[in-house]
Each structure stands twice: as C-alpha cells, then as structure tokens.
Amino acid sequence: MLRGGGCPRRTRRRRKTATWERGAREGVARKGNFCRTRRAGSQEPTSLRGIANRAASDKAHRFRNLFGMLTVGYLLWSWQFVNKRAASGVERKDAWSYQDNLQENIEGLVEAVQGGWYRAKLVLRRYIPKLNGKMRPLGLPAIADKLLQVGVSKLLEAIYEQDFLGCSYGYRPGVGALDAVRDLSAALRSGRYHYLVEADIRGFFDNLDHEKLIELLELRIDDKPFLKLIRKWLKAGILEPDGAVEHPEKGSPQGGSVSPILANIYLHYALDLWADQWRRKQAKGDVIIVRYADDIVFGHKYG
C-alpha cells in the first residue's frame, strides 16, 4: 500500500501510475491513458491523440474548435463505439436501421450540426427495477443523438483522462468495478484503515446542476458551440411512458452516451479534488478514497 494513503494502488500494470503517493503527481491519470480506448482493428484520429498530449502537458489549457472536429469522418469512426444492442429512442429506429444508410445519415447529421439547425430529439424515458425494489429511470436518446454524444464523449475523454485522479473507477477506459473492488480489498487487508464510510450520492444523475456543470467544463473548454451542444442534450425534453413531456431544469439522463463522462467531470471537481486537498492539508493519518461514479468508500486510520 502507498505511503500516505489516498487512492489504492492499482494492481494492473496499465494503471500503476495512477496513485496518491505523497511527493508524486498524486492521483493523476497520466499521459497515455487515452490510448487505452483503442479497440482491435481501430485507429483513433491523430487529432484526439494531439488533444490528449496537450491536456497532459498543459493543465491550464482551454481547448478551442472542438466543435469543428465533429466531421463526417470523425463520426464514422465514432460509430464503432455505439452500442448496437441498446433500445431505440423516440424515433423507433435502431442502430442497424441507421447503419443501412450510415454515410448518408451521418452526412445529414453533420450538415445540421455545423449549419446550426440541429435539434436534440426527445429522450424516451423507461424505468427498470433496482435491487432495493425501487425503479431506476433511464433516458434513451435517438440514435443520431446517441452517435453525436459518443463523438463528443471521445473528445471529452481525450482531455479529462489526463486530469482524473486514480481514485475514480467508474465509466473510464481500461478500469471498472472489479478493479475498484480488488484494489480496495487489497488496501484494506493492510490493516491501516480502522474506519470506513460508504456513501451514495442520492439522486445524483437526476439532480446534476446544469449551470455549474457548464462552468466546470469552461475551465478546460473555450468553445461556445461545443458547450451549446452539450447544453442542448441537458435541456432535451423527456417523453414519459404516459405521453407527458418533461422539460428538465437539472439532471442528466442515465442512458445517454455523454452522461457518464459529464458525471465524472462534475464529481472530479466537486468531490475528488476537494478530497485530495483535504487529505493533503487537514487529514491526520492514512486516508483512502475509492469512487465508482456516485458511489464512494472512504477509509481513515482515525475516527
């Protein structure tokens, strides 16, 4: 276990640099993380690698012209990351139907986006049962919106994978829930943490503050059309099963392709960086923090 605590040591070699060891660049997911997103047979655009390198080398840089990267070629590349088995949205067109005329469909989508007349379609609301007997609301975007969100997510990922701390495990490339459980278990077996607190941010996805999220994104992004696109998805109407349409003032629907990374960005600033600062300046004794999306475990040597 690492001296001083923080994030647990990642046992996989590809994550071993993401640590919270005192005296190091603590908890930073270092340059090169972006490369983990590559799939067999795919080649990420060099522009994305350039963004990742710039984000890693200049933590104060604000990116411009991300909007201009949403080209036909880029979205054709992004199509491979769309979940083809996911349920369709309000237009009832699944991924396979969209793929039948993929080139033409993407050309029309890019023309609308770059021309300024793109409008996000209603998000189809569905409810699925949770283990506690309650229902979890999901939001199903239209397939074109989903593809565009994937493209935007990859741009955000290239930037923020260089900023995220090692204690964040949820919805990130190359790491997941099993890694969080394994690394946390290994840290706890060391016997250095005598007090544990498990926390779940109640209704986080339903209550995410839109304006605060945009403010946080502006710390790294200086591209108004790009941020306007994200705002359109946040404000998109939600079609309930009874036919009613909700116009959200807060929240980001679970089920949208861009929602996971937006949630991670928000919690990176609101929780991870705050916890890291508290650990450095105020905490006494060893501290460990593991976060998977909005579920967190805190471990401390002293109560």
Side-chain angles (χ1 to χ4, degrees), residues 54 58-66 159 214-215 217-224 227:
R54 183 62 183 271
D58 186 353
K59 296 299 181 178
H61 183 72
R62 298 177 69 210
F63 289 87
R64 299 178 179 179
N65 199 34
L66 298 174
I159 297 170
I214 296 299
E215 288 179 17
L217 289 168
E218 286 175 340
L219 296 174
R220 274 300 224 169
I221 298 171
D222 183 15
D223 187 336
K224 290 183 179 179
L227 294 175

Side-chain angles (χ1 to χ4, degrees), residues 1 4-9 20 167 183-188 193 195-196 278-279 286-290 297-301:
M1 183 57 207
C7 295
R9 183 185 295 274
W20 268 11
C167 57
D183 294 349
L184 178 62
S185 298
L188 296 181
Y193 305 100
Y195 297 87
L196 287 180
W278 170 79
R279 181 189 65 84
D286 297 329
V287 176
I288 185 173
I289 301 173
V290 173
V297 174
F298 297 90
H300 197 197
K301 184 175 183 178

Side-chain angles (χ1 to χ4, degrees), residues 67 69-79 82 91 93 98 101-121 141-152 229 232-233:
F67 185 77
M69 293 183 61
L70 299 173
T71 63
V72 172
Y74 176 74
L75 291 184
L76 281 170
W77 173 82
S78 300
W79 178 251
V82 174
E91 85 284 51
K93 177 183 287 188
Y98 192 84
N101 296 292
L102 186 60
Q103 180 81 27
E104 182 179 345
N105 286 330
I106 291 180
E107 288 175 354
L109 176 60
V110 170
E111 184 179 5
V113 170
Q114 299 295 340
W117 60 82
Y118 165 79
R119 297 291 182 272
K121 290 183 172 63
I143 186 62
D145 295 339
K146 187 178 298 184
L147 169 59
L148 196 54
Q149 288 184 21
V150 168
V152 167
L229 192 59
K232 285 182 179 182
W233 294 326

Side-chain angles (χ1 to χ4, degrees), residues 33-261:
N33 283 0
F34 171 70
C35 296
R36 296 197 312 272
T37 66
R38 293 177 59 179
R39 292 186 176 187
S42 71
Q43 179 68 41
E44 72 271 17
T46 55
S47 54
L48 284 184
R49 277 177 268 148
I51 289 173
N53 291 338
R54 183 62 183 271
S57 63
D58 186 353
K59 296 299 181 178
H61 183 72
R62 298 177 69 210
F63 289 87
R64 299 178 179 179
N65 199 34
L66 298 174
F67 185 77
M69 293 183 61
L70 299 173
T71 63
V72 172
Y74 176 74
L75 291 184
L76 281 170
W77 173 82
S78 300
W79 178 251
Q80 66 186 299
F81 300 103
V82 174
N83 182 3
K84 311 301 189 299
R85 298 188 298 273
S88 58
V90 292
E91 85 284 51
R92 304 299 182 184
K93 177 183 287 188
D94 61 21
W96 305 113
S97 299
Y98 192 84
Q99 186 171 273
D100 287 341
N101 296 292
L102 186 60
Q103 180 81 27
E104 182 179 345
N105 286 330
I106 291 180
E107 288 175 354
L109 176 60
V110 170
E111 184 179 5
V113 170
Q114 299 295 340
W117 60 82
Y118 165 79
R119 297 291 182 272
K121 290 183 172 63
L122 293 175
V123 175
L124 186 63
R125 177 77 84 197
R126 288 289 181 264
Y127 293 88
I128 60 173
K130 299 170 66 173
L131 293 178
N132 61 6
K134 297 182 179 180
M135 302 298 287
R136 182 189 305 277
L138 294 181
L140 306 176
I143 186 62
D145 295 339
K146 187 178 298 184
L147 169 59
L148 196 54
Q149 288 184 21
V150 168
V152 167
S153 296
K154 292 299 177 184
L155 290 168
L156 294 174
E157 185 178 282
I159 297 170
Y160 288 98
E161 273 299 311
Q162 318 314 315
D163 294 350
F164 289 155
L165 304 188
C167 57
S168 171
Y169 287 77
Y171 309 124
R172 295 183 60 190
V175 67
L178 293 179
D179 301 284
V181 171
R182 183 186 60 242
D183 294 349
L184 178 62
S185 298
L188 296 181
R189 283 196 297 269
S190 70
R192 295 172 61 185
Y193 305 100
H194 303 158
Y195 297 87
L196 287 180
V197 176
E198 182 181 4
D200 177 8
I201 304 175
R202 181 180 297 174
F204 171 72
F205 282 91
D206 296 331
N207 293 285
L208 189 148
D209 188 310
H210 292 173
E211 297 309 314
K212 178 57 67 175
L213 173 61
I214 296 299
E215 288 179 17
L216 295 174
L217 289 168
E218 286 175 340
L219 296 174
R220 274 300 224 169
I221 298 171
D222 183 15
D223 187 336
K224 290 183 179 179
F226 186 80
L227 294 175
K228 184 178 179 180
L229 192 59
I230 293 175
R231 189 185 294 272
K232 285 182 179 182
W233 294 326
L234 293 173
K235 299 297 185 183
I238 298 175
L239 180 62
E240 295 286 351
D242 62 1
V245 176
E246 174 190 347
H247 297 281
E249 295 297 325
K250 58 184 179 179
S252 182
Q254 296 186 66
S257 302
V258 77
S259 292
I261 193 164

